């Protein structure tokens, strides 16, 4: 009985130590989680200090102010150009009136001269 028991024990040990086929690992599924954002270290090169942020905000406000000032200057120039155009139109109308009055005077004078001659 001892021989049978020892034989079974030897068979179990030999079967446990036999060559086994390697288990194939599926690499298609990575264990990395998928995030829609990335973590950023606050001490990295991309981090900005409060002083830099304030400078950016100040320059942005200055930029906005300069845009407003430029818009005001353009509006002023446009207004001046319109006033000049109106004055030029008035002068042209006055010149046309004077020219038409002179023509009327010349025609009336010529008609008076013709009536005197007859």
């Amino acid at each position: 009985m001892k021989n049978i028991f020892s034989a079974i024990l030897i068979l179990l040990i030999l079967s446990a130590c036999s060559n086994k086929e390697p288990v194939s690992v599926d690499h298609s599924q990575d264990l990395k989680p998928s995030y829609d954002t990335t973590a950023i270290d606050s001490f990295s090169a991309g981090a900005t200090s409060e002083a830099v942020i304030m400078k950016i905000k100040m320059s942005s406000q200055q930029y906005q102010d300069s845009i407003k000032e430029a818009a005001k200057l353009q509006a002023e120039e446009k207004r001046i150009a319109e006033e000049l155009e109106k004055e030029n139109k008035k002068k042209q109308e006055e010149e046309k009136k004077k020219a038409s009055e002179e023509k009327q005077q010349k025609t009336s004078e010529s008609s008076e001269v013709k009536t005197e001659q007859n």
Side-chain angles (χ1 to χ4, degrees):
M1 182 90 177
K2 285 185 180 182
N3 288 338
I4 295 175
F5 182 68
S6 59
I8 293 174
L9 185 62
I10 290 174
L11 286 174
L12 284 173
I13 291 173
L14 289 176
S15 67
C17 294
S18 67
N19 290 334
K20 294 183 179 180
E21 294 180 15
V23 177
S24 63
V25 179
D26 187 16
H27 292 288
S28 64
Q29 293 179 344
D30 289 336
L31 297 177
K32 294 179 183 178
S34 60
Y35 294 110
D36 60 346
T37 59
T38 57
I40 297 175
D41 184 14
S42 63
F43 296 106
S44 67
T48 55
S49 66
E50 289 182 24
V52 173
I53 292 172
M54 286 302 294
K55 285 183 181 180
I56 292 170
K57 287 181 181 178
M58 293 289 285
S59 67
S60 176
Q61 185 63 34
Q62 290 172 351
Y63 178 72
Q64 295 297 325
D65 290 344
S66 66
I67 290 175
K68 289 178 184 177
E69 187 67 30
K72 286 179 184 179
L73 288 174
Q74 285 180 345
E76 184 69 22
E77 289 176 358
K78 186 177 180 181
R79 185 186 60 82
I80 291 171
E82 288 175 354
E83 287 179 3
L84 288 174
E85 187 176 325
K86 287 179 183 178
E87 288 177 10
N88 288 338
K89 285 183 180 179
K90 286 181 182 179
K91 286 181 182 179
Q92 287 177 354
E93 288 176 3
E94 289 176 1
E95 289 176 1
K96 285 181 182 178
K97 287 180 182 178
K98 286 181 182 179
S100 64
E101 288 176 1
E102 288 176 0
K103 285 182 182 179
Q104 287 177 358
Q105 286 178 357
K106 286 181 181 179
T107 56
S108 65
E109 288 177 1
S110 64
S111 64
E112 287 177 9
V113 170
K114 286 183 182 178
T115 55
E116 289 177 4
Q117 289 177 359
N118 288 336

